Amino acid sequence: MTVTATSVDESDGLRPQSAPAPWSARLVRLAPAVTATLAGLLLYVSFPPRTLWWLAPPAFAAFGWVLRGRSPKAALGLGYLFGLGFLLPLLVWTGVEVGPVPWLALVLIEALFVALVGAGVAAVSKLPGGPVWAAAVWIAGEAARARVPFHGFPWGKVAFGQADGVFLPLAAVGGTPVLGFAVVLCGFGLGEAVRLAVEGRRTRVLRRSAAAAALLGVAVPVVGALAARTLVSDKAEDGTATVALVQGNVPREGLDFNAQRRAVLDYHARETARLAKDVKAGKAPRPDFVLWPENSSDIDPLEYPDARLVVDQAAKTIGVPISIGSVVERDGRLWNEQILWDPVKGPLQTYDKRQIQPFGEYLPLRSLIGAINENWTAMVRQDFSRGSEPGVFTVDGAKVGLATCYEAAFDWAVRDTVTHGAQMISVPSNNAAFDRSEMTYQQLAMSRIRAVEHSRAVTVPVTSGVSAIIMPDGRISQKTGMFVPAHLVQKVPLRSSETPATELGVLPEIALVLLAAGGLGWAIGSGVRGRRAARA
């Protein structure tokens, strides 16, 4: 019933108006929007550095509840709010040095993908087996985010929040798409099971088949994850390698550390000398090779004699090859390059980073961005070029696959090092520009996922931390602090067998995208037939 209030003075020309709705009614109308936002925030809390991975399924349960049966317009809005609740805090580190505008712009764009996913989830929500279709739609959204715009931005994949969780072994089955699908399916299945239970209690009619399907959505991912544990092994198949990681630290935090490039190089040489001293004193085992981080020598040792002398002396001091990260200029083009430096022969092999970071290593839309703020273009004066070949260094008989920093977020950039023979993986990184933010922990979790995905030990040498050695089961065996000079030495297993995830590559993701397309096609077709029947 609508309550109206009429004007006392008809001469005022006022028409009858609806009285303001009571606060309780307004809150009820706001409940879906608030729930969607809080669910997104809950998903963020499930990510590192926290180990609250189990909060991800409840986050998707709440998300599925607010989307069920919504119109496309409402679902778009709710999906966008979920995306903002998740991505705004998750990506706050992107504005540490450049301010809030780029951070907000990135989030506002990435949340559009989540909005479209919201509309898709709402469309399939009432189909039989709705949680399965909805989870596939979410993975399709992640697949799109990982490819566009500007070659994609996969940061925030649900799988990357599960390094400490029960679902982790599923990474070896089908990589991040299958791992993420299982988590999201569990969440949507949980939400559907709760909804059916509440509805059945209210109406005293419980649709057993629907309830069973919802419960299977929760149980199957968990059972599958437990069964997949047989794929996870730390066994050394091709012997072992004793590897050393050197974290030299930087002179000061922030982007301007590049102004002190020689100091960064000297710091890493100094820490390598400390490592050599520990080896000589018997405090550390002698490594087979040493891994320096990305940007550990931004002065090109292939071009400048003073930098070459420092690197050469460091290699001779430790007496084994060193993989160093450098910025190299060839024919007027810049490359983010890893160089394998032998103590006797000098530089032997190189790897040029292939997935370079937009707005960090190259600037899309340079003229437009320069018109908005010249300072942003000054931060990336010259674009880096992309490498074209996978990086696999052969060091003392071991094959070391290289995925430089940002590349660890991309499935293909890690997988093809393994398919090209890598027996272990290294992710040299430079996180100094992001201060003590959560970024380094989020990236470390990605490397843990990659370890299980391909059943390889993964090393993460970082200029300022956190550097770590990760076993093939995703367990961190050693790690450093942040913004401290340190070195790690450990024997790691070398492995050559391939997991199903390595063998299948992109196929599981394609299958889930096709599943999403099938569900959306079914939902759209059902809607069209329903409207025709209503008109008839």
Side-chain angles (χ1 to χ4, degrees), residues 169-426:
L170 288 170
V173 176
T176 59
V178 168
L179 173 53
F181 176 77
V183 176
V184 180
L185 172 59
C186 186
F188 285 143
L190 176 65
E192 183 69 358
V194 172
R195 186 191 69 80
L196 289 170
V198 172
E199 184 180 275
R201 187 175 181 180
R202 186 174 60 246
T203 62
R204 297 185 180 182
V205 177
L206 181 61
R207 290 173 291 167
R208 293 179 180 178
S209 59
L215 289 173
L216 282 173
V218 179
V220 169
V222 176
V223 173
L226 295 175
R229 294 182 66 179
T230 58
L231 298 173
V232 180
S233 173
D234 286 347
K235 181 181 178 181
E237 298 173 331
D238 304 299
T240 61
T242 301
V243 59
L245 278 62
V246 168
Q247 177 178 299
N249 203 12
V250 296
R252 62 172 180 251
E253 302 172 13
L255 286 175
D256 56 358
F257 82 93
N258 280 314
Q260 302 184 40
R261 295 179 299 169
R262 177 55 190 267
V264 175
L265 172 57
D266 288 343
Y267 282 12
H268 284 81
R270 184 187 308 165
E271 190 60 31
T272 303
R274 289 176 181 157
L275 168 63
K277 186 177 179 180
D278 284 352
V279 171
K280 186 175 182 180
K283 296 178 181 179
R286 183 180 184 275
D288 296 316
F289 50 91
V290 177
L291 300 172
W292 284 11
E294 178 188 34
N295 299 124
S296 49
S297 177
D298 274 346
I299 302 175
D300 181 2
L302 303 177
E303 178 70 20
Y304 295 96
D306 59 332
R308 186 184 188 98
L309 182 63
V310 173
V311 172
D312 206 46
Q313 184 58 50
K316 284 180 168 61
T317 299
I318 190 63
V320 298
I322 302 177
S323 176
I324 68 169
S326 186
V327 174
V328 174
E329 185 172 353
R330 291 193 302 270
D331 301 324
R333 300 170 69 185
L334 286 180
W335 308 84
N336 186 333
E337 189 166 85
Q338 293 292 311
I339 306 171
L340 182 62
W341 203 284
D342 185 83
V344 177
K345 300 177 181 178
L348 295 179
Q349 303 174 58
T350 61
Y351 166 64
D352 296 318
K353 186 176 181 180
R354 295 170 293 163
Q355 187 67 42
I356 56 178
Q357 182 182 350
F359 306 100
E361 292 171 307
Y362 79 100
L363 197 61
L365 311 174
R366 182 177 288 273
S367 58
L368 174 62
I369 291 172
I372 298 172
N373 190 325
E374 292 183 357
N375 292 330
W376 295 341
T377 58
M379 290 180 182
V380 188
R381 291 186 176 88
Q382 182 178 351
D383 293 342
F384 279 79
S385 297
R386 298 176 183 275
S388 57
E389 297 296 327
V392 180
F393 286 171
T394 302
V395 197
D396 195 31
K399 293 185 179 297
V400 183
L402 298 165
T404 304
C405 196
Y406 185 58
E407 291 182 320
F410 292 83
D411 296 345
W412 64 268
V414 182
R415 175 181 177 265
D416 67 3
T417 68
V418 179
T419 57
H420 281 76
Q423 298 166 308
M424 61 169 288
I425 299 168
S426 184

Side-chain angles (χ1 to χ4, degrees), residues 18-195:
S18 297
W23 280 106
S24 58
R26 294 182 183 182
L27 290 175
V28 168
R29 287 200 297 269
L30 287 174
V34 172
T35 301
T37 306
L38 292 178
L41 184 61
L42 191 65
L43 180 59
Y44 155 71
V45 174
S46 74
F47 271 66
R50 295 157 296 277
T51 57
L52 304 175
W53 58 271
W54 46 271
L55 290 177
F60 282 101
F63 189 41
W65 175 76
V66 298
L67 289 175
R68 179 176 170 78
R70 298 285 177 181
S71 68
K73 183 178 179 180
L76 279 169
L78 292 170
Y80 199 71
L81 289 173
F82 181 85
L84 292 178
F86 172 44
L87 295 172
L88 271 171
L90 185 80
L91 302 179
V92 67
W93 52 266
T94 59
V96 167
E97 289 296 330
V98 294
V101 175
W103 160 52
L104 293 174
L106 174 64
V107 170
L108 293 175
I109 292 171
E110 292 297 311
L112 289 173
F113 289 90
V114 187
L116 293 172
V117 166
V121 169
V124 302
S125 62
K126 291 190 174 182
L127 294 178
V132 176
W133 306 110
V137 169
W138 178 271
I139 298 304
E142 287 191 341
R145 281 208 306 126
R147 289 165 174 81
V148 292
F150 313 126
H151 299 276
F153 187 74
W155 218 280
K157 276 189 170 186
V158 169
F160 294 149
Q162 297 295 309
D164 292 291
V166 68
F167 298 101
L168 177 60
L170 288 170
V173 176
T176 59
V178 168
L179 173 53
F181 176 77
V183 176
V184 180
L185 172 59
C186 186
F188 285 143
L190 176 65
E192 183 69 358
V194 172
R195 186 191 69 80

